[in-house]
Amino acid sequence: MASLWSSLEKDLFNPQRKRLLETVRVWKTGKRKKMSILCVVVDTFRPMQPFLVKVKVERGEQYKVAYRWPLAELKLVDGKTPNQGLWQGAWLFTSIEINEKKKSFPVLYPGQIKYICTAGLRGKPQVQASLDFDLHFEKVYKWTASSPEEKQTFIRCLWKLNHRLLAGSVAFVNVPSCAAEGRQRPQEDGKDLAEVESQEELSTYQEMTPKEAADVLKLKEEHEPLVNNSVAFAEQLSNDLHVLDEANLRAIISSEKQVTQLMSSIDEALAEVARVEETLQVYDELLGSVKQQMDHIHQENSLLHRIVSNKAKLMDEILFLTTHLNLSREHCDALSRVDLSSPSRVKTCIAAAEALSGCMNIQIQPGYRKMQSVAEQLIVFETLKQNFENSFISHITNSFEMQGNAQVPAPGQPVDKLSAPSHGLHHEELVPYAPLMAWLRNANPVLFCDLPKVYAQNLSRLYDQEIKAFFEQAKISLLGRRKGSLQESLEKPMGSRQPSRWSLPGSREGREDTPGKGNITKQVLEQVLRELQPLCTAEQQFIETFFQLSRDAPNLQVLEASTTRGGESIASPEDCPCTKPRSQLEEPMTQLLSKIFGCLEPELRGFLDVCNKVHSFGCLQVLVTLSDSVFETWGSSSALPASFLSTVLGNMLLLAKSSFNKCIGTLCKEIEEAKMPSKARSGILPSVSCFEEFVNFSEEVFRTARRRGELDKAHLRLASSVFSSINSLSSANLKVNTDMVMMENFHHIHHFLCQKKIQCLEDKKREANQRYSEHMEKYVIKYLGQPLEKLNHFFEGVKARVAQGVKEEEVSFQLAYSKQELRKVIEKYPGKEVRRALETLYKKIHKHLSPEENLLPVVWHAMEQEFLRQYQEFEELIERCYAGSGIAMDFTMEDLLSYFNSITVSNI
């Protein structure tokens, strides 16, 4: 109960400044499904008003006030207990009892007497009480208490409040008087009497005082001889006690007069107390009426304060409604007529629409909407709003249609400067309506959502005509022809001109017209892109302002990553590059601009195809120009960070990179599959010349480019294909020496890459130098054995025998490698014969090597060094294997040096 009491006070009544007096757990009579709690509370401030509160117990031990009744409205309390067999009691003064009980102390004083008042009870016990009770307000509430004690305590609390605060206005029926007045039942009285007697008995045997303890010790000292004999000691004490009793009786009898005086004084005091009680009762009755009147005055004052407060609040609400739900006559007329013919009238309509929104968006209580005047005013506002919406939508739709039906002039002669159409006048015409568009968006979003679609549908027709005419004019400027011969100019070069496999831009076959066409292509394409940027940017800015459409700028790094992916992942034809970035930007703004500029991307793609067809490698110019334009657009302060044109140019850049990668792939395939004719003369291969010319042309094109990632990849792919083409010569059936051809081509590539200093081709440059050195060594070794062929074969056999384990001093005992055989071989190569053989070798090398590379001095010097090394090796073998034989070659080291020197000097 303590927990219930504290929870109710803390959660419900303390916040309401109420004090809880009593509780009882009840349920409706006959229905014990839901238990409630009846609480009696009073205000903590004056006037104190008592209330009866019904509290419901919800889930989770949560308490909620269900209903509240003022106790002043309570008329009757029916306790449902018959008023019969009640206990009645009276307090009776019975006797004066002299304390004759034996004490443990020897001396009794005359003042030790007391009055014992006992309750004389008479009557019969009452029958068992009922748990039901009724409370009569305007309606009768029948309750059943959870226990008799709670019911009795609750009714007693109501009885007390009735007499203290309600002046006995509540009638109590079938309520026992002991329960109402708070008297106890006989059982409780008997319990109390038993408790009093037990306490008196306990008080009799109280602890001895120090004086009593000293008397006991003194008594023991006086009767010390008798202490050991308990019987004699007890008889002695009994005799002494009898003597004391006699003395007490004599003292009492002698003080009879004083007792009579005391009793008379007590009677007088009781009479005086009765008179005081009667006086207090009169005063209490007088004060009770005054208190009732004061409480009534307090209640009337509180009601007056409440009336004044309610009147002030009512006046505030009336002023609020009349002020905020009032639309001026001028605004009503403007919303009814909807005149948008001039800027001043448009401003008037804007002010009226904003005032109407202010009236309709005001927050009012739901109950106010049921008032007739408020409902009628809201209906008027809604009618004005619908009328203005329909008229404005009709007017703005007509403006969109008029702009979309504008005429576009046909393209004429080629002009020096292309110029894209401007829609500044159209935008200026529609900008004054932007506040009304914002109002319509907030007032009726459903109708507003259709207007951007109507605008895009009408303006797309105008933009289709203008963009097509603009690109037709660009194509005429690019090809320098009239529109009638444009298709012929595009088909004739591709159908009649069949360039050779290696006729690249910058080569001998195409040097006459390629630079001019490349410059024209770059200029026209840059001009086209410069004109498209303000056109698309202005339209996007207008749409964002007029329709309040905007989006967050996409991450620049994401777009850069999407445009710098490898060629292999983009070059697939079934993977359309223009759909990937768009999937990330599918928003209202993008959808609207895509519909307005529906033909921009196809027309731009067609124009880029024309640029690619102007010359063989126009894709290089297109790629560089688009890449620079895209990054200029992203870095431009005038362009929007997430402009529609940036997305379109990004898609075109992906398409240009795909075309470039396809072109490079085709060129690499042609280089790798090229077969050199068997009768072809030695020299630089066509694939090497093609690679050189492509690098020269591409470096010139990308000289001012901001990014060259795709070009570096193309260089690596082409270099790998050229190396593969050169390596395939080893299996070709050529009349010339293969190592010599490969040596010359790798040397040419290495020399070319050293001049260009291209960072991405540094590894290829080192590889070319390594391959050049390897093939020159093979070429020298192969042709070096021709002057001393038999001598070379003889010493190769000697080295083979030594390698097989034959001792060097035992080689001369081999029949094939004896001293006689060695002398025979040496006799075949006198000095004159060696000189003649070297001259023949020089002429053969001079015939094989191409004069463009000028490798003859290098190869001849390598021949000289290798020949001298072999001669020195032969001398060492003769000295080790044929020691003491006196065998020596017919020429010396100095002779060889003079032979090479004279041959070189004679052929300068």
Side-chain angles (χ1 to χ4, degrees):
M1 181 63 70
S3 176
L4 173 63
W5 191 286
S6 61
S7 299
L8 290 173
E9 282 188 333
K10 179 179 179 181
D11 298 338
L12 294 181
F13 301 123
N14 286 343
Q16 300 178 4
R17 300 177 63 187
K18 306 288 184 183
R19 183 163 60 91
L20 180 62
L21 298 180
E22 194 57 63
T23 62
V24 58
R25 288 172 291 184
V26 298
W27 59 86
K28 291 184 179 181
T29 302
K31 298 180 180 179
R32 196 174 181 178
K33 293 183 180 180
K34 295 182 180 180
M35 180 174 288
S36 303
I37 302 174
L38 291 181
C39 304
V40 180
V41 297
V42 295
D43 294 329
T44 57
F45 52 88
R46 289 195 175 274
M48 297 175 58
Q49 298 292 331
F51 295 93
L52 180 65
V53 180
K54 176 184 176 184
V55 178
K56 294 174 61 178
V57 183
E58 298 182 348
R59 294 181 179 179
E61 297 297 328
Q62 297 293 327
Y63 302 104
K64 181 179 180 181
V65 175
Y67 203 81
R68 185 177 67 174
W69 302 271
L71 279 185
E73 299 178 1
L74 181 62
K75 301 176 181 178
L76 182 114
V77 177
D78 189 354
K80 298 289 186 177
T81 300
N83 194 9
Q84 59 184 359
L86 300 180
W87 294 93
Q88 298 178 357
W91 295 96
L92 302 177
F93 180 78
T94 56
S95 64
I96 300 175
E97 180 181 358
I98 301 175
N99 189 356
E100 296 179 351
K101 295 182 179 179
K102 297 180 180 180
K103 294 283 185 177
S104 59
F105 46 86
V107 180
L108 294 178
Y109 299 97
Q112 293 181 346
I113 61 174
K114 64 179 180 179
Y115 296 92
I116 301 177
C117 296
T118 60
L121 303 177
R122 60 183 178 271
K124 299 180 181 179
Q126 66 178 13
V127 298
Q128 184 177 2
S130 173
L131 298 177
D132 299 337
F133 64 94
D134 297 345
L135 299 179
H136 293 248
F137 292 93
E138 293 182 356
K139 178 182 177 183
V140 178
Y141 296 93
K142 298 180 180 293
W143 306 100
T144 300
S146 60
S147 66
E149 291 78 8
E150 290 188 6
K151 171 187 172 182
Q152 180 179 347
T153 307
F154 178 73
I155 294 177
R156 183 183 303 142
C157 180
L158 294 178
W159 186 84
K160 291 180 179 179
L161 290 176
N162 178 44
H163 286 78
R164 292 178 183 176
L165 301 178
L166 303 177
S169 61
V170 181
F172 288 81
V173 297
N174 296 326
V175 176
S177 59
C178 62
E181 298 176 1
R183 292 197 300 267
Q184 295 178 334
R185 291 192 295 270
Q187 294 86 345
E188 296 177 353
D189 295 339
K191 290 181 181 179
D192 292 343
L193 184 59
E195 290 177 357
V196 170
E197 292 178 353
S198 63
Q199 290 177 359
E200 290 177 354
E201 292 178 356
L202 290 175
S203 64
T204 303
Y205 299 98
Q206 59 186 357
E207 185 180 359
M208 290 188 299
T209 63
K211 186 176 183 303
E212 292 174 346
D215 293 341
V216 171
L217 292 176
K218 183 178 179 181
L219 182 64
K220 287 183 178 182
E221 291 177 356
E222 293 177 356
H223 301 84
E224 184 176 1
L226 299 176
V227 171
N228 295 329
N229 189 354
S230 60
V231 176
F233 184 66
E235 291 179 357
Q236 181 65 32
L237 292 177
S238 176
N239 294 330
D240 294 341
L241 181 61
H242 182 69
V243 172
L244 292 174
D245 287 340
E246 290 179 358
N248 287 333
L249 288 174
R250 292 190 189 96
I252 290 172
I253 293 171
S254 61
S255 60
E256 182 178 2
K257 183 177 181 180
Q258 288 82 354
V259 172
T260 303
Q261 293 177 357
L262 177 62
M263 293 300 296
S264 62
S265 298
I266 291 174
D267 292 338
E268 292 176 359
L270 291 175
E272 186 65 24
V273 167
R275 287 193 299 272
V276 170
E277 286 181 352
E278 291 177 357
T279 305
L280 292 176
Q281 182 68 25
V282 173
Y283 291 162
D284 187 33
E285 292 177 358
L286 294 176
L287 291 176
S289 60
V290 173
K291 179 179 178 298
Q292 185 176 3
Q293 293 175 2
M294 292 301 297
D295 291 343
H296 183 68
I297 292 172
H298 277 295
Q299 186 176 4
E300 288 184 350
N301 288 336
S302 64
L303 292 177
L304 289 175
H305 286 297
R306 188 172 300 176
I307 291 172
V308 172
S309 175
N310 290 339
K311 286 183 177 179
K313 291 181 180 180
L314 179 60
M315 184 59 63
D316 292 340
E317 293 297 329
I318 292 174
L319 291 176
F320 174 80
L321 292 177
T322 55
T323 302
H324 292 86
L325 295 182
N326 183 27
L327 190 65
S328 65
R329 175 57 59 184
E330 293 79 6
H331 291 164
C332 292
D333 294 340
L335 294 174
S336 300
R337 293 195 301 266
V338 193
D339 189 358
L340 302 172
S341 58
S342 63
S344 60
R345 294 177 180 176
V346 171
K347 292 181 180 179
T348 303
C349 291
I350 292 173
E354 292 177 351
L356 178 62
S357 296
C359 294
M360 296 187 68
N361 295 332
I362 193 68
Q363 297 294 330
I364 60 176
Q365 299 182 9
Y368 292 164
R369 298 181 181 273
K370 298 179 181 180
M371 298 173 63
Q372 182 178 359
S373 58
V374 175
E376 291 176 353
Q377 190 72 358
L378 294 178
I379 292 174
V380 171
F381 291 161
E382 186 65 26
T383 303
L384 292 173
K385 171 177 168 290
Q386 293 179 1
N387 177 55
F388 184 75
E389 286 175 354
N390 296 331
S391 302
F392 173 68
I393 291 175
S394 177
H395 178 80
I396 201 69
T397 302
N398 293 333
S399 300
F400 294 161
E401 292 177 353
M402 291 177 61
Q403 292 185 5
N405 295 329
Q407 297 297 324
V408 179
Q413 294 291 339
V415 294
D416 296 333
K417 182 178 180 181
L418 291 174
S419 178
S422 175
H423 284 212
L425 296 178
H426 296 320
H427 295 165
E428 291 177 359
E429 180 183 349
L430 295 177
V431 162
Y433 301 110
L436 291 178
M437 294 295 295
W439 172 83
L440 182 62
R441 181 177 184 177
N442 296 326
N444 197 333
V446 177
L447 294 178
F448 175 81
C449 290
D450 294 333
L451 289 181
K453 300 177 183 178
V454 175
Y455 177 81
Q457 182 179 0
N458 288 280
L459 268 294
S460 61
R461 297 196 303 269
L462 178 61
Y463 273 109
D464 287 349
Q465 298 176 14
E466 292 178 344
I467 291 174
K468 289 179 181 179
F470 173 72
F471 278 105
E472 288 294 329
Q473 189 67 41
K475 293 175 184 178
I476 292 174
S477 300
L478 179 63
L479 301 173
R481 300 174 184 272
R482 294 293 302 271
K483 183 178 179 182
S485 59
L486 179 60
Q487 188 67 23
E488 179 183 355
S489 65
L490 294 177
E491 295 178 355
K492 184 176 180 181
M494 300 304 296
S496 61
R497 178 166 60 97
Q498 294 294 336
S500 62
R501 184 179 299 271
W502 311 118
S503 180
L504 299 176
S507 65
R508 295 178 180 85
E509 293 85 348
R511 285 177 182 173
E512 297 179 0
D513 57 347
T514 297
K517 291 183 178 179
N519 293 333
I520 293 175
T521 301
K522 182 178 181 181
Q523 293 174 2
V524 175
L525 182 57
E526 288 178 349
Q527 194 171 0
V528 167
L529 297 179
R530 281 197 303 268
E531 292 296 325
L532 287 179
Q533 179 176 347
L535 177 66
C536 297
T537 302
E539 185 63 33
Q540 182 172 352
Q541 290 176 342
F542 170 74
I543 290 175
E544 289 183 358
T545 304
F546 191 71
F547 294 105
Q548 288 83 41
L549 298 177
S550 62
R551 67 172 180 226
D552 296 333
N555 192 351
L556 183 61
Q557 297 178 356
V558 175
L559 289 178
E560 289 182 359
S562 66
T563 58
T564 57
R565 290 176 295 179
E568 290 79 10
S569 63
I570 302 177
S572 57
E574 61 274 0
D575 199 6
C576 182
C578 61
T579 59
K580 294 181 180 179
R582 186 67 56 84
S583 62
Q584 302 174 358
L585 305 176
E586 282 296 340
E587 298 178 358
M589 173 64 73
T590 303
Q591 295 176 2
L592 189 61
L593 289 172
S594 299
K595 190 172 183 180
I596 293 174
F597 296 104
C599 69
L600 176 59
E601 195 165 318
E603 289 293 328
L604 185 56
R605 188 185 296 112
F607 179 71
L608 295 181
D609 291 339
V610 174
C611 294
N612 291 333
K613 293 177 182 179
V614 170
H615 55 81
S616 301
F617 280 92
C619 57
L620 283 172
Q621 292 283 5
V622 172
L623 178 62
V624 173
T625 306
L626 275 177
S627 179
D628 292 344
S629 178
V630 166
F631 284 97
E632 285 177 2
T633 303
W634 284 341
S636 176
S637 59
S638 61
L640 296 177
S643 64
F644 175 77
L645 183 61
S646 299
T647 305
V648 174
L649 293 182
N651 297 335
M652 293 300 102
L653 180 58
L654 294 178
L655 187 64
K657 291 172 65 175
S658 177
S659 301
F660 174 73
N661 290 325
K662 289 179 182 179
C663 180
I664 297 300
T666 303
L667 184 57
C668 291
K669 184 177 180 181
E670 291 180 355
I671 291 175
E672 293 173 357
E673 295 178 356
K675 295 182 179 180
M676 186 175 180
S678 59
K679 296 182 181 181
R681 192 174 179 273
S682 62
I684 304 304
L685 297 176
S687 59
V688 177
S689 301
C690 170
F691 174 72
E692 179 181 356
E693 294 169 358
F694 176 81
V695 171
N696 287 328
F697 178 75
S698 60
E699 287 295 323
E700 179 64 24
V701 172
F702 278 80
R703 181 169 53 84
T704 58
R706 299 186 180 183
R707 299 178 62 258
R708 50 174 297 142
E710 294 301 318
L711 180 61
D712 291 341
K713 295 177 184 178
H715 283 167
L716 290 174
R717 292 179 65 188
L718 285 174
S720 300
S721 299
V722 170
F723 279 32
S724 176
S725 176
I726 296 174
N727 292 332
S728 65
L729 295 177
S730 60
S731 60
N733 187 15
L734 301 178
K735 292 183 178 182
V736 296
N737 184 269
T738 304
D739 291 323
M740 183 269 295
V741 176
M742 298 174 72
M743 175 189 66
E744 283 189 319
N745 283 276
F746 280 120
H747 175 268
H748 183 82
I749 293 174
H750 176 262
H751 180 69
F752 173 72
L753 295 180
C754 288
Q755 292 178 345
K756 289 299 179 182
K757 297 180 181 180
I758 302 175
Q759 186 65 30
C760 67
L761 295 178
E762 286 295 323
D763 294 338
K764 293 297 181 181
K765 182 179 71 174
R766 289 190 288 269
E767 182 182 356
N769 187 28
Q770 180 182 357
R771 302 289 293 277
Y772 154 70
S773 301
E774 292 176 358
H775 289 288
M776 186 177 68
E777 182 179 356
K778 291 180 181 179
Y779 178 74
V780 169
I781 293 174
K782 180 177 181 180
Y783 280 91
L784 191 60
Q786 292 181 2
L788 305 175
E789 185 176 1
K790 293 182 179 181
L791 187 61
N792 192 20
H793 286 319
F794 181 84
F795 282 107
E796 287 292 335
V798 171
K799 289 190 290 184
R801 291 296 185 273
V802 173
Q804 291 174 2
V806 179
K807 296 181 179 180
E808 293 180 349
E809 60 271 13
E810 296 178 358
V811 172
S812 60
F813 298 102
Q814 298 286 330
L815 182 61
Y817 302 100
S818 62
K819 297 177 182 179
Q820 292 77 11
E821 292 295 330
L822 177 59
R823 288 190 182 97
K824 291 179 182 181
V825 174
I826 290 176
E827 289 175 356
K828 294 180 181 180
Y829 293 99
K832 294 180 180 181
E833 186 65 27
V834 172
R835 179 184 174 86
R836 190 182 303 111
L838 289 175
E839 289 178 352
T840 305
L841 178 61
Y842 183 85
K843 293 178 181 179
K844 185 180 294 186
I845 294 173
H846 184 270
K847 181 181 178 180
H848 287 172
L849 293 177
S850 60
E852 292 84 358
E853 292 302 310
N854 195 22
L855 288 178
L856 181 58
V858 179
V859 175
W860 184 245
H861 179 70
M863 287 283 188
E864 179 181 357
Q865 296 298 322
E866 184 64 24
F867 198 88
L868 294 177
R869 188 192 63 78
Q870 286 188 4
Y871 174 80
Q872 189 175 2
E873 184 181 4
F874 294 162
E875 286 289 339
E876 291 176 357
L877 287 175
I878 291 173
E879 184 179 354
R880 293 199 311 269
C881 298
Y882 301 93
S885 63
I887 302 174
M889 286 186 286
D890 191 46
F891 50 89
T892 63
M893 182 74 72
E894 289 76 11
D895 295 336
L896 290 176
L897 290 174
S898 64
Y899 297 159
F900 277 101
N901 189 24
S902 61
I903 293 173
T904 302
V905 173
S906 62
N907 289 279
I908 292 177

